[in-house]
């Protein structure tokens, strides 16, 4: 009885070694793949010709009228080859591609503070418009976290008037817009750099509007008017 067991055992060992080979042994031939998973896929390698396309080139040109992420928008030169000026109102459309404070919100390895572009009433208005498009659904028009998404079950939306966020560096808020935070997703692929800063500026204005402002924030000529009204 035991004899047969040894025969069968020996046979199984020989079979396994034939199929699987010794560990570390070098093969000249491709290995036997029992589960190939997705190891082999038809694909085009960079800079290699391909019969698939009629022009014989593997590399494709970017689709006309599109701009790869991280690249600068071609300014004032319409991509369709026409000679007219571009009608785009922006002259600086960019998604973060560098390591500067403007792109990352970081100065060295800490969050920096201060807006890296001029803050004008138009800039804040642009921030308000962008905030209302991208952030209001969750954070609410007043920034109190009471946007419509909360009513549909999204929990723990940050109230932007918390002292913690008032004290937060501008760069960290910028980074939250770019990369998101915990359950908030990032908007870096859809809000361009300048608009992210415009939103930061607008959030600061919102925070001031909700109890963070003092008389010193009022420009001096307006302050005089207010003071004369109060008397
Ligand atoms: C889909 C809902 C949603 C949208 C849209 C959204 N947020 Fe948030 N946001 C959240 C949630 C949820 C949190 C809390 C995340 C956490 O748990 O820390 C948060 C947190 C934050 C914080 C605090 C981060 C911290 O460090 O605690 C800031 C600042 C912020 N959001 C800004 C924005 C801005 C600016 C926009 C628009 C560009 C935006 N959010 C869009 C859901 C959203």
């Amino acid at each position: 009885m035991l004899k047969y067991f040894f025969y069968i055992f020996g046979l199984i060992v020989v079979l396994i070694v034939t199929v699987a080979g010794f560990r570390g042994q070098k093969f000249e031939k491709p290995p036997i793949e029992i589960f190939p998973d997705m190891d082999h896929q038809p694909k085009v390698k960079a800079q290699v010709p391909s019969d698939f396309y009629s022009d014989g080139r593997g590399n494709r040109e970017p689709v006309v009228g599109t701009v790869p992420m991280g690249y600068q928008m071609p300014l004032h030169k319409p991509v369709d080859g026409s000679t007219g000026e571009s009608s785009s109102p922006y002259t600086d459309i960019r998604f973060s591609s560098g390591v500067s404070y403007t792109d990352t919100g970081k100065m060295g390895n800490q969050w920096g503070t201060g807006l890296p572009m001029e803050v004008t009433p138009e800039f804040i208005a642009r921030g308000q418009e962008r905030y209302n498009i991208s952030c209001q659904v969750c954070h609410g028009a007043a920034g109190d976290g009471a946007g419509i998404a909360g009513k549909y079950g999204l929990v723990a939306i940050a109230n932007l008037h918390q002292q913690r966020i008032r004290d937060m560096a501008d760069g960290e808020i910028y980074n939250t817009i770019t990369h998101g935070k915990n359950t908030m997703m990032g908007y870096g692929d859809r809000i361009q750099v300048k608009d992210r800063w415009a939103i930061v500026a607008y959030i600061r204005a919102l925070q001031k509007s909700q109890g963070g402002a003092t008389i010193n924030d009022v420009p001096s000529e307006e302050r005089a008017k207010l003071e004369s009204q109060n008397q």
Side-chain angles (χ1 to χ4, degrees):
M1 195 60 214
L2 202 61
K3 195 166 70 179
Y4 290 116
F5 174 77
F6 281 121
Y7 282 153
I8 291 169
F9 183 77
L11 204 66
I12 289 173
V13 169
V14 170
L15 270 177
I16 290 179
V17 172
T18 345
V19 173
F22 295 114
R23 286 191 63 156
Q25 191 180 348
K26 280 192 181 154
F27 288 95
E28 301 278 301
K29 291 192 189 130
I32 300 164
E33 285 175 297
I34 297 161
F35 300 108
D37 296 326
M38 292 171 75
D39 288 349
H40 310 283
Q41 300 167 40
K43 63 171 180 269
V44 178
K45 293 197 170 150
Q47 312 289 346
V48 164
S50 162
D51 297 336
F52 186 79
Y53 299 104
S54 57
D55 63 2
R57 295 196 295 181
N59 282 9
R60 307 315 299 158
E61 296 206 329
V63 177
V64 174
T66 59
V67 180
M69 265 176 72
Y71 283 74
Q72 197 146 2
M73 195 81 137
L75 300 175
H76 306 302
K77 276 210 177 63
V79 275
D80 60 7
S82 65
T83 47
E85 289 279 292
S86 162
S87 60
S88 164
Y90 311 119
T91 52
D92 185 19
I93 294 192
R94 251 170 11 89
F95 291 84
S96 4
S97 54
V99 293
S100 66
Y101 172 58
T102 312
D103 276 352
T104 60
K106 276 190 173 177
M107 287 178 181
N109 48 18
Q110 342 192 4
W111 300 120
T113 212
L115 288 150
M117 52 260 316
E118 198 191 344
V119 181
T120 58
E122 295 75 43
F123 186 68
I124 296 182
R126 170 93 184 159
Q128 175 171 28
E129 183 196 57
R130 298 292 116 182
Y131 176 91
N132 288 344
I133 292 169
S134 301
C135 324
Q136 191 201 47
V137 280
C138 292
H139 291 285
D144 54 5
I148 187 89
K151 299 201 177 68
Y152 284 91
L154 188 70
V155 291
I157 304 172
N159 174 350
L160 304 178
H161 300 295
Q162 291 166 63
Q163 197 56 40
R164 186 177 62 82
I165 299 176
R166 282 177 195 266
D167 295 341
M168 196 175 269
D170 296 332
E172 190 171 356
I173 297 183
Y174 172 87
N175 180 72
T176 300
I177 302 175
T178 312
H179 298 294
K181 178 106 185 207
N182 303 328
T183 50
M184 175 182 150
M185 70 167 194
Y187 287 80
D189 60 347
R190 61 205 73 186
I191 303 179
Q192 49 146 324
V193 169
K194 208 170 164 186
D195 285 342
R196 282 176 234 161
W197 286 109
I199 292 174
V200 173
Y202 180 63
I203 290 177
R204 292 308 190 206
L206 272 181
Q207 288 171 338
K208 289 234 150 107
S209 78
Q210 306 275 317
T214 68
I215 189 75
N216 297 329
D217 291 311
V218 182
S220 51
E221 61 279 10
E222 299 291 323
R223 211 183 298 168
K225 275 192 225 160
L226 282 176
E227 278 160 2
S228 66
Q229 274 171 14
N230 280 346
Q231 275 155 15

